[in-house]
């Protein structure tokens, strides 16, 4: 291989007679690819190298998310994210290839500044925004695009891997929707236990339940009705994880529809397996709750309404010994 030291835009270019060791992508309809993948790019199938799975991502007219125009953009991304977590660090020496079909050799692309790239939870891709100008790529005399066909490739050598120290990752739920649960508590005057639980309900893929203390709890004992929210199945939450939850309660006015709620009406708290419950020990005064004209207790029944939104999860990152 003759190193030409062709350096531009942080890309070191050289030539090689040998094909890429790990993966090649032959595209036989480049013109159609431009139409279909101009926005998000084309992802190759997965391939394995160094004990990890990888993909190539090819933008035929530049990576629009980085405002790249009139260039080919090409990236290496680590695949199988579900089997990795943010504490992993993988150091990789990689090169990307483009076949010169006229000469039968490859133009090789490497980072001009960093020999080894570090892939980790927050950095799952590396590559080149401006691999080659589109004008040079489509020039038939250069041999990169011939009869609407081109060939890209990759070599990926894992140099070192390790797990970093303990940490956490705060992830926002992709679809945080409000779950509403209505609980009718009947024969209220005969309730003699300290507290009662609602039937479990689902919000954010987790099961929840309401706690009702008819005679109050904590600083509301004997004077208020107390309401709390709790995970119904805390064992389903991964160890060391917490859920960031917004919740609000109402006791419905069954006559005038002047429903009772706290001010501010909602609260946000972290829930995990050992938290217990969050809510209001002084949700409503007993005297107010029992007044017939208020409509909160009608025909010896009250209706509790809860809205629960799981906004995010804090995941603990584990720790292992370095490997090389």
């Amino acid at each position: 291989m003759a190193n030409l030291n062709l350096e531009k835009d942080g890309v070191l270019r050289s030539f090689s007679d040998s094909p890429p060791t790990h993966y090649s992508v032959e595209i036989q309809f480049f013109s159609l690819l431009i139409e279909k993948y101009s926005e998000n790019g084309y992802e190759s199938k997965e391939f394995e190298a160094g004990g990890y799975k990888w993909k190539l991502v090819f933008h035929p007219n530049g990576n629009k998310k980085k405002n790249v125009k009139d260039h080919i953009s090409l990236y290496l991304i680590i695949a199988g994210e579900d089997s990795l977590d943010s504490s992993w660090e993988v150091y990789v020496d990689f090169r990307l290839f483009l076949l010169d079909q006229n000469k039968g050799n490859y133009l090789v692309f490497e980072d001009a500044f960093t020999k080894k790239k570090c892939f980790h939870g927050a950095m799952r891709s590396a590559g080149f925004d401006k691999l080659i100008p589109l004008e040079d790529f489509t020039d038939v005399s250069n041999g990169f695009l011939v009869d609407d066909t081109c060939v890209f490739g990759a070599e990926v050598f894992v140099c070192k891997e390790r797990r970093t120290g303990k940490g956490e990752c705060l992830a926002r739920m992709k679809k945080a929707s409000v779950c509403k649960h209505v609980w009718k508590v009947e024969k209220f005057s005969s309730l003699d236990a300290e507290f009662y639980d609602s039937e479990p309900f689902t919000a954010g893929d987790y099961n929840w339940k309401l706690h009702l203390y008819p005679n109050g709890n904590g600083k509301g004992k004997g004077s208020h009705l107390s309401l709390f929210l709790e995970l119904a199945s805390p064992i389903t939450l991964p160890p060391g994880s917490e859920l960031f939850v917004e919740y609000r309660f109402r006791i419905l006015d069954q006559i005038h529809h002047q429903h009772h709620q706290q001010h501010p009406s909602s609260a946000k708290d972290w829930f995990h397996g050992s938290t217990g419950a969050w809510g209001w020990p002084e949700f409503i005064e007993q005297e107010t709750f029992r007044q017939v004209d208020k409509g909160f207790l009608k025909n010896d029944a009250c209706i509790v309404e809860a809205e629960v939104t799981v906004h995010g999860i804090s995941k603990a990152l584990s720790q292992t010994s370095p490997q090389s």
Side-chain angles (χ1 to χ4, degrees):
M1 180 176 70
N3 194 325
L4 302 183
N5 291 320
L6 301 176
E7 185 180 324
K8 185 180 179 182
D9 296 321
V11 184
L12 183 64
R13 296 167 174 85
S14 58
F15 288 103
S16 173
D17 294 327
S18 302
T21 302
H22 294 112
Y23 200 69
S24 292
V25 180
E26 181 176 353
I27 300 169
Q28 298 182 350
F29 42 83
F30 177 80
S31 58
L32 294 179
L33 216 64
I34 284 187
E35 296 175 10
K36 183 171 178 60
Y37 296 102
S38 61
E39 290 297 324
N40 298 318
Y42 170 79
E43 284 193 9
S44 74
K45 291 182 171 60
E46 293 182 0
F47 63 95
E48 188 169 330
Y52 293 88
K53 293 181 179 180
W54 308 88
K55 288 183 181 181
L56 289 176
V57 178
F58 168 65
H59 294 263
N61 195 22
N63 188 344
K64 298 295 188 295
K65 294 178 181 178
K66 294 188 175 182
N67 295 320
V68 179
K69 298 179 181 178
D70 303 322
H71 282 76
I72 297 292
S73 299
L74 186 63
Y75 306 95
L76 174 71
I77 66 171
I78 193 164
E81 298 96 318
D82 293 342
S83 63
L84 301 173
D85 60 49
S86 300
S87 64
W88 274 103
E89 288 184 0
V90 182
Y91 290 83
V92 174
D93 181 4
F94 77 94
R95 303 189 301 166
L96 303 181
F97 290 67
L98 175 59
L99 177 63
D100 180 343
Q101 300 172 66
N102 292 340
K103 297 178 181 178
N105 60 10
Y106 290 84
L107 182 58
V108 182
F109 305 87
E110 301 175 75
D111 193 300
F113 307 115
T114 306
K115 184 67 174 174
K116 298 176 183 178
K117 279 287 186 181
C118 179
F119 288 74
H120 52 83
M123 192 69 175
R124 297 186 181 272
S125 68
F128 308 104
D129 297 332
K130 297 181 177 180
L131 186 82
I132 186 171
L134 198 56
E135 183 179 359
D136 294 343
F137 176 77
T138 55
D139 187 338
V140 178
S141 65
N142 290 327
F144 303 129
L145 185 66
V146 177
D147 293 331
D148 211 26
T149 297
C150 58
V151 179
F152 293 92
E155 287 185 344
V156 184
F157 298 99
V158 175
C159 310
K160 184 177 67 172
E161 60 182 15
R162 71 182 180 94
R163 277 180 179 250
T164 58
K166 293 181 179 179
E168 63 181 283
C169 172
L170 274 65
R172 188 183 185 94
M173 294 295 185
K174 293 181 179 179
K175 294 182 179 179
S177 58
V178 179
C179 171
K180 183 180 289 188
H181 180 71
V182 178
W183 178 24
K184 187 173 184 179
V185 184
E186 299 181 295
K187 299 180 181 180
F188 195 90
S189 61
S190 63
L191 300 182
D192 55 3
E194 182 182 5
F195 66 90
Y196 292 85
D197 289 342
S198 71
E199 289 294 320
F201 60 95
T202 302
D205 295 328
Y206 293 91
N207 291 327
W208 305 86
K209 60 183 177 181
L210 299 175
H211 283 318
L212 170 68
Y213 288 79
N215 197 39
N217 175 261
K219 60 182 179 180
K221 191 171 183 65
S223 60
H224 288 73
L225 184 145
S226 304
L227 271 174
F228 300 92
L229 175 70
E230 183 181 41
L231 274 165
S233 305
I235 196 171
T236 61
L237 196 61
S241 298
E242 297 179 290
L243 295 171
F244 187 56
V245 178
E246 181 178 6
Y247 56 95
R248 73 179 75 227
F249 304 146
R250 299 184 187 92
I251 292 184
L252 302 189
D253 174 355
Q254 302 172 63
I255 299 174
H256 314 290
H257 305 292
Q258 300 295 316
H259 310 314
H260 177 83
Q261 61 186 18
Q262 286 290 304
H263 298 283
S265 61
S266 66
K268 299 183 181 74
D269 287 298
W270 288 97
F271 288 77
H272 55 80
S274 60
T275 296
W278 288 102
W280 288 273
E282 298 176 309
F283 188 75
I284 185 172
E285 291 183 348
Q286 293 277 357
E287 183 179 351
T288 302
F289 173 73
R290 294 179 184 278
Q291 288 181 14
V292 176
D293 62 338
K294 294 292 186 181
F296 301 126
L297 191 59
K298 182 180 179 182
N299 297 326
D300 205 24
C302 70
I303 300 174
V304 179
E305 183 181 271
E307 292 181 2
V308 179
T309 307
V310 180
H311 286 292
I313 183 170
S314 172
K315 299 178 181 178
L317 306 180
S318 56
Q319 181 181 33
T320 62
S321 301
Q323 304 173 21
S324 60

